[in-house]
């Protein structure tokens, strides 16, 4: 698929560049230009007032609210609430008035406009020329959410008129914010206090708290504070409920610029005592103002440089592909940084409210390998710890269904299921398999069994007990079955014997059993698993029903899948895509069309257990019926297509995942970015094009170079080592940058890597 950014945007290897202002593109651009630092983030809104269509959003990691579930019925076991990230105080606000005219791009004529997200430096800047009643006026802004200081946002706001003008710049905090996706239109905050001050350190602060809820979940207190300095004198300071501001005002000669710097800091009672929270935020803001904008900016840029040194993927010869992978990595790294095991990766990150900002199975299934290889074992352990710490919630979820063991949630903030669709929440059970697979992935990649034999066994036992309780025995076939499930293909609900769910359940049982038997004796004893329970689990795993079509040589997606009219997705008229925008849900459920990898998800996760021929047959049967209307779909298909030699398809799927939001392929970028699927671009290159595999405990590559590319390279961490892989026409190069030598396989040839391997030929 050709690159198709709107023509007011430009391709750049390190930037997202918007070259013209169009009101109809504003929400799209706000999503693309989002910033974050793992602790909080915000959309790419204008600092000043904007009267046009906008989605103003600031989001704080771990701060959420249990919104009332919006359904007209109730079932036993149904989630009590729909958890969602909530829009927080507007930190960036600056009101600009020049000779009585408020600067507003929704009203004034825009003569020139450029907005840039510099992904290398983590900076968002904008340069605008406006026509006012008295002449031309230029506005220049820059801001960053500090990757060096996780409490800090800093911005620079510069105004210059071509005529003498009285300029007023008012820096403010606004707590009167709402969620666009509130089920019942409520505001989720109550305002506890506001303050503003003049003097030598002008600024202000707000204290807010999430309002009471009937579900007993914790309330959150949030303090936001700012300090401002300006080249004009202070005129006034104001505060009221949910509002704090300071204004600077003066007559300014023609052509002279005025500059405002604003330093905003946030503190929550997740991290600090509620008493003194405002003072804590004010202290942070005061310290930032004292350091100054340029020093803070340089520290932030240096922190991003360290991240890019570890995670960057370089592509030569394809600017659109290069921009795509860096855009994806930038937003992944902005969303999760691994310092806080209470946080995870929401599907929209800090870029929007859709999907509630909660944790999905996306983390383990798609994001985990990226962080393991680029951020290292410590960060990956934090993601594993997140699930272990929420085991009580998983036990609760299973018990609500009358089942033993642990059912990890499809959607959560605290371990308790909080999704409001029955067919997803209590039928899409396969998410348990993704959690178990992350433990397997970590153990095989690192060669370190310490997590597996400690916290990991607790998680695996809970999962195994759930599967053992959820199956039923079919005496007619002599096998165990799982009825009433939804597989990864959410375009089929409440099916029997979804192959992937049955297969991953059996694998989870096997993995627990093998891990348990290898664990130290005292650890096994502490788990309290009786021999007859182990025997029952083994019997289930060995006798799990796996539907298959012997004639076609494929696994059957579920019991009645082959009863459908099997048609390729190419038969769907273009004007009817995407299906979920045009077809009734009934029609979708009755069709053969597949939203995302289902059988193929199993062959991706468990690829080390299946031969090439099995993968080829299943891929060629299922991929033509796949509409890829989930953002998670392309990456799995890219990896498998590369493995079976379908290189053109692999590259097509890479482009789809790498540029999904940049090209607005699903026509929903305006709602926020598809952050958890952004890992797919990295997976497509590293596991797909480079063919990197680690599941058998060894490191191997089977690379190829996509047509039209001159080369690609990436760094990665592996078992205490730093390595770099490079591919160009006919040649692969693997370098050991630090750490001890190791054995590797390249194009099925064994090598001992001491410094560098250069291999020519293969199947490049």
């Amino acid at each position: 698929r050709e690159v198709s950014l709107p023509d007011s945007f430009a391709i750049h290897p390190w930037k997202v560049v918007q070259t013209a202002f169009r009101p109809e593109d504003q929400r799209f651009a706000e999503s693309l230009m989002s910033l974050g630092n793992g602790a909080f983030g915000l959309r790419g809104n204008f600092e000043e007032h904007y009267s046009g269509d906008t989605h103003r959003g600031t989001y704080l990691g771990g701060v959420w609210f249990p919104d009332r579930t919006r359904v007209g019925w109730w079932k036993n076991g149904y989630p009590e609430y729909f958890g969602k990230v909530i829009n927080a105080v507007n930190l960036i606000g600056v009101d600009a008035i020049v000779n009585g005219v408020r600067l507003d791009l929704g009203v004034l004529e825009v003569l020139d406009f450029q907005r840039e997200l510099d992904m290398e430096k983590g900076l968002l800047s904008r340069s605008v020329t406006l026509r006012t009643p008295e002449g031309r006026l230029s506005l220049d802004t820059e801001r960053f959410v500090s990757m060096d200081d996780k409490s800090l946002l800093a911005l620079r706001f510069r105004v210059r008129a071509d005529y003498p003008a009285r300029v007023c710049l008012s820096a403010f905090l606004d707590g009167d914010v709402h969620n666009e996706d509130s089920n019942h239109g409520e505001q989720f905050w109550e305002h506890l206090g506001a303050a503003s001050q003049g003097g030598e350190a002008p600024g202000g602060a707000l204290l807010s708290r999430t309002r009471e809820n009937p579900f007993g979940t914790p309330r959150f207190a949030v303090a936001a504070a700012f300090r401002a300095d300006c080249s004009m004198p202070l005129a006034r300071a104001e505060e009221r409920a949910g509002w704090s501001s300071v204004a600077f005002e003066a007559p300014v000669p023609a052509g002279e610029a005025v500059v405002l710097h604003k330093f905003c800091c946030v503190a929550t009672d997740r991290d600090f005592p509620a008493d003194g929270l405002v003072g804590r935020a004010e202290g942070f803001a005061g310290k930032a103002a004292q350091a100054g904008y340029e020093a803070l900016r340089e520290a932030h840029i240096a922190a991003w440089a360290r991240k890019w040194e570890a995670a960057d993927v370089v592509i030569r010869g394809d600017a659109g592909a290069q921009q795509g992978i860096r855009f994806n990595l930038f937003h992944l790294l902005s969303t999760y940084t691994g310092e806080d095991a209470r946080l995870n990766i929401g599907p929209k990150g800090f870029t929007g409210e859709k999907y509630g900002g909660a944790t999905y199975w996306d983390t383990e299934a798609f994001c985990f390998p990226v962080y393991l290889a680029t951020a290292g074992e410590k960060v990956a352990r934090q993601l594993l710890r997140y699930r272990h710490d929420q085991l009580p919630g998983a036990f609760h979820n299973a018990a609500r269904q009358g089942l033993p063991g642990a059912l990890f949630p499809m959607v959560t903030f605290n371990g308790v299921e909080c999704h409001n669709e029955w067919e997803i929440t209590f039928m899409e059970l396969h998410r348990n398999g993704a959690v178990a697979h992350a433990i397997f992935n970590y153990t095989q990649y690192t060669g370190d069994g310490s997590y597996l034999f400690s916290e990991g066994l607790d998680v695996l036992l809970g999962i195994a007990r759930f599967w053992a309780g959820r199956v039923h025995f079919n005496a007619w076939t002599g096998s165990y079955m799982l009825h009433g499930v939804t597989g990864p293909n959410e375009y089929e609900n409440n099916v029997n014997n979804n192959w992937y769910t049955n297969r991953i359940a059996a694998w989870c049982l096997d993995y627990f059993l093998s891990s348990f038997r290898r664990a130290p004796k005292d650890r096994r004893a502490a788990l309290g698993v009786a021999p007859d329970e182990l025997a029952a689990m083994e019997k289930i795993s060995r006798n799990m029903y796996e539907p298959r079509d012997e004639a076609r040589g494929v696994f059957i997606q579920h019991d009645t899948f082959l009863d459908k009219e099997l048609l390729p997705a190419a038969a769907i008229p273009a004007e009817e895509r995407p299906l979920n925008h045009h077809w009734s849900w009934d029609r979708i459920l009755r069709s053969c069309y597949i939203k995302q990898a289902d059988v193929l998800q199993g062959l991706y996760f468990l690829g080390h257990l299946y031969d090439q021929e099995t993968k080829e047959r299943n891929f060629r049967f299922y991929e033509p019926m796949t509409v890829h209307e989930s953002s998670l779909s392309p990456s799995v298909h890219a990896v498998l297509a590369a493995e079976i030699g379908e290189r053109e398809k692999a590259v097509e799927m890479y482009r789809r995942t790498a540029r999904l939001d940049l090209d607005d392929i699903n026509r929903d970028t305006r709602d926020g970015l598809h952050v958890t699927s952004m890992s797919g671009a990295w997976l497509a290159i590293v596991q797909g094009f480079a063919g990197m595999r680690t599941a058998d405990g060894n490191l191997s590559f089977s690379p190829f170079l996509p047509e039209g590319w001159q080369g690609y390279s990436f760094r990665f961490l592996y078992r205490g080592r730093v390595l770099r892989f490079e591919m160009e026409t006919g040649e692969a190069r693997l370098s050991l940058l630090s750490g001890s030598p190791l054995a590797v396989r390249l194009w099925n040839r064994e090598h001992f890597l001491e410094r560098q391997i250069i291999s020519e030929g293969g199947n490049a």
Side-chain angles (χ1 to χ4, degrees):
R1 188 178 186 278
E2 294 301 318
V3 171
S4 59
L5 266 169
D7 58 12
S8 58
F9 291 78
I11 300 295
H12 188 286
W14 274 111
K15 296 180 179 180
V16 179
V17 182
Q18 185 182 9
T19 57
F21 175 66
R22 294 179 179 172
E24 62 270 24
D25 289 339
Q26 180 65 0
R27 288 197 179 215
F28 171 73
E30 287 174 347
S31 293
L32 296 187
M33 307 282 186
S34 298
L35 296 175
N37 65 2
F40 74 102
L42 70 165
R43 289 169 58 81
N45 309 118
F46 294 156
E47 289 84 358
E48 75 279 5
H49 177 77
Y50 178 61
S51 59
D53 182 40
T54 182
H55 178 184
R56 187 170 291 281
T58 303
Y59 308 100
L60 311 178
V63 175
W64 63 283
F65 190 83
D67 202 7
R68 286 177 291 154
T69 303
R70 189 174 184 175
V71 296
W73 63 89
W74 197 262
K75 299 180 179 74
N76 287 335
Y78 205 89
E80 294 180 311
Y81 55 81
F82 185 82
K84 58 180 57 177
V85 66
I86 49 177
N87 202 350
V89 57
N90 175 15
L91 300 170
I92 61 172
V94 176
D95 202 15
I97 299 175
V98 179
N99 284 352
V101 176
R102 175 185 256 182
L103 301 193
D104 179 352
L105 272 66
V107 174
L108 298 174
E109 182 183 357
V110 179
L111 300 176
D112 189 54
F113 181 95
Q114 181 147 316
R115 177 164 43 176
E116 292 185 359
L117 171 64
D118 186 329
M119 299 179 289
E120 183 177 20
K121 298 177 179 179
L123 302 172
L124 176 59
S125 62
R126 180 168 50 113
S127 178
V128 185
T129 303
L130 300 170
R131 189 189 306 281
T132 71
E134 297 177 66
R136 295 164 67 96
L137 180 146
S138 65
L139 170 64
D140 296 285
T141 68
E142 181 184 84
R143 70 171 182 256
F144 59 90
V145 177
S146 177
M147 194 59 78
D148 178 66
D149 177 351
K150 295 303 180 72
S151 72
L152 173 68
L153 176 149
L155 66 86
R156 182 175 63 210
F157 192 93
R158 178 180 179 274
V159 175
R160 184 181 65 81
D162 288 351
Y163 49 88
R166 186 165 192 87
V167 179
C168 177
L169 299 181
S170 176
F172 63 85
L173 299 175
D174 182 6
D176 186 20
V177 292
H178 298 76
N179 269 51
E180 286 197 342
D181 69 342
S182 170
N183 283 338
H184 300 272
E186 306 102 324
Q187 188 178 46
F188 298 129
W189 296 99
E190 57 183 40
H191 306 305
L192 303 182
S196 62
Q197 65 182 51
E200 294 183 359
L206 294 179
L207 179 63
S208 303
R209 183 174 59 192
T210 53
R211 62 177 178 79
E212 289 187 4
N213 68 80
F215 307 110
T217 64
R219 302 173 71 185
F220 298 97
V222 175
F226 77 98
R227 292 290 179 265
D229 67 62
C230 186
S231 56
M232 298 184 297
L234 180 71
R236 58 192 172 275
E238 299 179 9
E239 72 266 354
R240 60 179 186 270
W243 177 274
S244 174
S245 66
V246 293
F248 304 86
E249 187 170 357
V252 179
E256 184 174 309
V258 292
V259 180
L260 169 75
H261 290 106
K262 184 179 180 184
F263 309 92
C264 304
C265 289
V266 178
T268 80
D269 63 356
R270 291 179 69 255
D271 303 304
F272 305 105
D275 293 341
L277 202 58
V278 170
R280 180 86 60 170
E282 288 180 326
F284 291 159
K287 182 180 178 181
Q290 190 173 27
Y293 186 82
E294 290 303 323
L296 297 171
R297 183 180 186 272
E298 289 308 308
H300 164 73
I301 292 172
W304 264 111
R306 291 190 292 272
K307 288 192 172 294
W308 283 119
E309 182 182 16
D312 189 27
V313 176
V314 178
I315 298 171
R316 295 186 291 111
D318 189 328
Q322 178 68 89
Q323 183 188 44
I325 183 64
R326 284 183 174 146
F327 178 78
N328 283 248
L329 287 170
F330 173 79
H331 285 291
L332 274 173
L333 298 172
S334 298
T335 300
Y336 185 78
T337 54
E339 292 91 352
D340 188 343
R342 299 168 297 171
L343 299 179
N344 208 277
I345 310 163
K348 295 291 181 187
F350 300 121
T351 74
E353 297 160 17
K354 194 174 179 182
Y355 302 116
T359 301
Y360 282 63
W361 75 299
D362 308 15
T363 292
E364 287 79 17
F366 300 93
C367 301
F368 186 80
V370 182
Y371 286 96
L372 180 57
T374 62
E377 297 177 17
K378 183 178 178 180
V379 171
R381 280 283 275 263
Q382 292 285 70
L383 291 171
L384 296 179
R385 181 182 169 195
Y386 178 88
R387 295 296 191 181
H388 179 268
D389 289 351
Q390 292 187 353
L391 258 176
F395 291 138
H396 168 83
N397 298 333
R400 291 269 289 176
Q401 307 313 305
L403 292 167
L407 174 58
F408 281 93
M410 189 65 180
V411 179
T412 197
F413 289 92
N414 58 4
V416 174
E417 180 61 64
C418 64
H419 196 274
N420 61 357
E421 293 181 48
W422 181 269
E423 65 270 21
I424 304 299
T425 301
F426 295 114
M427 293 181 187
E428 208 161 334
L429 307 176
H430 64 81
R431 76 270 195 154
N432 257 10
V435 174
H437 190 268
I439 297 172
F440 168 80
N441 194 358
Y442 176 86
T443 304
Q444 297 301 102
Y445 191 94
T446 65
D448 177 11
S450 62
Y451 180 82
L452 171 64
F453 296 132
S454 56
E455 295 176 349
L457 272 178
D458 296 331
V459 174
L460 294 177
L461 175 58
I463 290 172
R465 283 176 166 162
F466 174 81
W467 289 125
R470 181 59 169 77
V471 300
H472 70 273
F473 182 69
N474 183 302
W476 185 39
T477 62
S479 59
Y480 290 88
M481 296 184 171
L482 285 163
H483 283 193
V485 302
T486 297
N489 174 27
E490 293 170 341
Y491 284 178
E492 293 177 314
N493 300 155
N494 194 19
V495 302
N496 294 337
N497 294 313
N498 168 256
W499 179 85
Y500 171 67
T501 305
N502 287 23
R503 183 67 187 92
I504 204 68
W507 178 85
C508 288
L509 290 166
D510 285 338
Y511 187 49
F512 166 70
L513 290 168
S514 65
S515 301
F516 178 83
R517 289 164 181 154
R518 290 183 290 116
K521 185 177 180 179
D522 60 341
R523 182 70 178 111
R524 296 199 305 269
L527 288 174
V529 187
D532 59 346
E533 185 178 11
L534 296 172
M537 289 179 180
E538 186 166 18
K539 184 178 179 182
I540 292 168
S541 70
R542 288 184 176 180
N543 295 281
M544 183 71 77
Y545 175 65
E546 294 185 27
R548 64 180 68 209
D549 180 350
E550 299 295 348
R552 290 185 174 91
V554 300
F555 303 118
I556 303 174
Q557 191 158 284
H558 61 83
D559 277 353
T560 62
F561 184 81
L562 295 183
D563 295 343
K564 298 186 178 192
E565 184 180 15
L566 303 181
L567 298 170
I572 305 169
E575 62 271 16
E576 296 181 18
R577 302 281 297 272
L579 298 185
N580 57 16
H581 289 189
H582 297 90
W583 286 15
S584 71
W585 193 239
D586 171 73
R587 185 180 179 188
I588 289 174
L589 293 178
R590 288 186 289 106
S591 79
C592 70
Y593 296 121
I594 302 168
K595 183 182 180 186
Q596 67 190 75
D598 196 303
V599 168
L600 300 184
Q601 183 72 41
L603 295 177
Y604 168 70
F605 266 174
L606 306 178
H608 58 294
L609 302 179
Y610 293 97
D611 60 29
Q612 188 88 346
E613 187 179 352
T614 299
K615 295 173 188 177
E616 289 179 12
R617 286 197 303 265
N618 282 276
F619 186 92
R620 288 171 181 149
F621 181 70
Y622 284 109
E623 196 284 327
M625 291 183 281
T626 305
V627 290
H628 302 294
E629 288 174 8
S630 164
S631 62
L632 301 173
S633 185
S635 60
V636 172
H637 289 84
V639 173
L640 289 175
E643 185 174 355
I644 67 172
E646 296 277 358
R647 296 181 179 180
E648 187 176 340
K649 175 60 70 173
V651 173
E652 174 195 340
M653 291 293 100
Y654 166 76
R655 290 188 178 279
R656 187 178 180 98
T657 191
R659 300 197 58 86
L660 181 76
D661 288 310
L662 285 168
D663 293 347
D664 201 12
I665 290 172
N666 284 0
R667 302 294 181 257
D668 60 359
T669 300
R670 60 186 280 118
D671 298 328
L673 305 178
H674 298 81
V675 171
T676 49
S677 69
M678 287 178 161
S679 58
W682 187 93
L683 296 173
I685 291 175
V686 175
Q687 297 181 354
F689 303 164
M692 179 171 147
R693 296 291 183 272
T694 58
D696 64 356
N698 300 295
L699 180 63
S700 65
F701 296 86
S702 297
F704 77 92
L705 183 68
E707 185 177 354
W709 290 18
Q710 296 171 6
Y712 61 90
S713 63
F714 55 88
R715 288 166 57 113
F716 64 100
L717 307 174
Y718 182 75
R719 300 191 176 188
R721 303 169 177 89
V722 181
L723 300 101
R724 182 173 61 240
F725 179 86
E726 301 169 87
M727 184 69 194
E728 56 189 38
T729 304
E731 181 179 283
R733 182 181 298 111
L734 185 62
S735 303
L736 180 63
L737 304 182
S738 69
S740 58
L742 76 161
V744 298
R745 286 198 307 270
L746 182 58
W747 285 316
N748 291 318
R749 292 194 291 270
E750 297 289 341
H751 299 271
F752 189 69
L753 176 60
E754 295 182 277
R755 176 179 287 182
Q756 189 175 84
I757 296 169
I758 300 175
S759 182
E760 297 182 0
N763 61 349

